[in-house]
Amino acid sequence: DAKTTQPTSMDCAEGRAANLPCNHSTISGNEYVYWYRQIHSQGPQYIIHGLKNNETNEMASLIITEDRKSSTLILPHATLRDTAVYYCIVRVAQAGGTSYGKLTFGQGTILTVHP
Amino acid sequence: DAGVIQSPRHEVTEMGQEVTLRCKPISGHNSLFWYRQTMMRGLELLIYFNNNVPIDDSGMPEDRFSAKMPNASFSTLKIQPSEPRDSAVYFCASSFTGSGQPQHFGDGTRLSIL
């Protein structure tokens, strides 16, 4: 699976949009981009994923560049409860064999939302 | 809907004792994953089951660790004998098998081996 690079930490004011970048320059054509977050003492929480097109759900938006070498997770109106470690993960799309969709977590970005 | 359920939430035991962690995946999911999280190594995959069959156990640290999935709604991770270096948070996750299906995690078991 391709390696990802994220900033170690970011700050965001409550109510403002939080834009979390991720570089995945070695991504392959059959690999999805996934975002998870982990709030202290809880399990990782799935946020969103995408392959080529931009995606939006009730939690966030995912913007993937046309060359797919980077992406941005957008939390449109950050709240104090969004303070967490955010993980960007690239994962092969096809199930089966050893490429079964294994998630490899890096160090992530510590997002701190302040009042 | 119920998410992935893990038990116990916390376990404190003495070195040498057997430890059994339990996981109930989301109903209908046919893939199950066990992860371990430590400060030093972060989140790492231990073992993956598909349709109750172990597919990849390359992340299991040593023979003291074993995992079973006797049916689609239950899995165990056992450590025997336990050692202090096994202290960590252990997470279970489940998903549908299929292109792009996300994994959903439980809240973990915090294990302390004294």
Side-chain angles (χ1 to χ4, degrees):
Chain A
D1 293 336
K3 180 180 171 58
T4 62
T5 304
Q6 300 177 252
T8 302
S9 63
M10 294 182 64
D11 288 338
C12 179
E14 189 177 21
R16 305 298 291 267
N19 297 288
L20 290 89
C22 180
N23 285 324
H24 31 79
S25 58
T26 60
I27 193 170
S28 300
N30 67 341
E31 289 180 316
Y32 281 89
V33 179
Y34 287 79
W35 283 85
Y36 282 77
R37 72 180 182 184
Q38 189 172 22
I39 297 169
H40 183 61
S41 298
Q42 297 182 19
Q45 178 188 22
Y46 165 75
I47 301 173
I48 197 168
H49 74 284
L51 185 61
K52 295 180 181 178
N53 300 320
N54 298 336
E55 302 288 344
T56 295
N57 63 20
E58 64 278 4
M59 290 182 67
S61 294
L62 174 60
I63 308 299
I64 302 174
T65 58
E66 191 169 342
D67 63 7
R68 302 186 68 241
K69 292 185 177 182
S70 66
S71 60
T72 301
L73 178 74
I74 301 173
L75 307 178
H77 305 287
T79 71
L80 299 178
R81 287 175 294 182
D82 291 323
T83 293
V85 180
Y86 286 77
Y87 297 98
C88 170
I89 302 166
V90 170
R91 183 191 127 178
V92 67
Q94 296 299 321
T98 57
S99 297
Y100 52 78
K102 176 179 177 178
L103 289 176
T104 302
F105 287 81
Q107 296 304 306
T109 295
I110 301 171
L111 175 68
T112 303
V113 181
H114 51 84
Chain B
D1 290 339
V4 175
I5 299 172
Q6 292 187 245
S7 64
R9 289 297 313 277
H10 303 274
E11 174 88 11
V12 180
T13 191
E14 291 188 347
M15 175 179 169
Q17 297 297 307
E18 178 179 291
V19 173
T20 299
L21 311 181
R22 297 172 176 80
C23 174
K24 178 179 171 55
I26 293 172
S27 178
H29 283 185
N30 56 352
S31 290
L32 184 138
F33 307 80
W34 282 100
Y35 290 84
R36 178 172 68 175
Q37 186 172 35
T38 62
M39 289 293 292
M40 291 293 292
R41 300 173 67 91
L43 262 165
E44 50 184 349
L45 178 69
L46 299 177
I47 188 168
Y48 157 61
F49 290 87
N50 183 244
N51 292 325
N52 312 337
V53 176
I55 303 299
D56 181 4
D57 65 354
S58 60
M60 297 286 264
E62 47 196 278
D63 292 346
R64 297 185 297 107
F65 285 69
S66 62
K68 293 182 180 180
M69 193 164 184
N71 57 62
S73 59
F74 183 65
S75 177
T76 59
L77 178 67
K78 186 174 293 186
I79 308 172
Q80 167 64 18
S82 59
E83 296 182 3
R85 59 191 168 124
D86 302 330
S87 298
V89 183
Y90 291 80
F91 291 104
C92 176
S94 70
S95 74
F96 291 108
T97 300
S99 181
Q101 294 295 324
Q103 296 173 28
H104 297 274
F105 286 74
D107 281 334
T109 295
R110 185 172 296 275
L111 177 64
S112 297
I113 308 297
L114 305 178

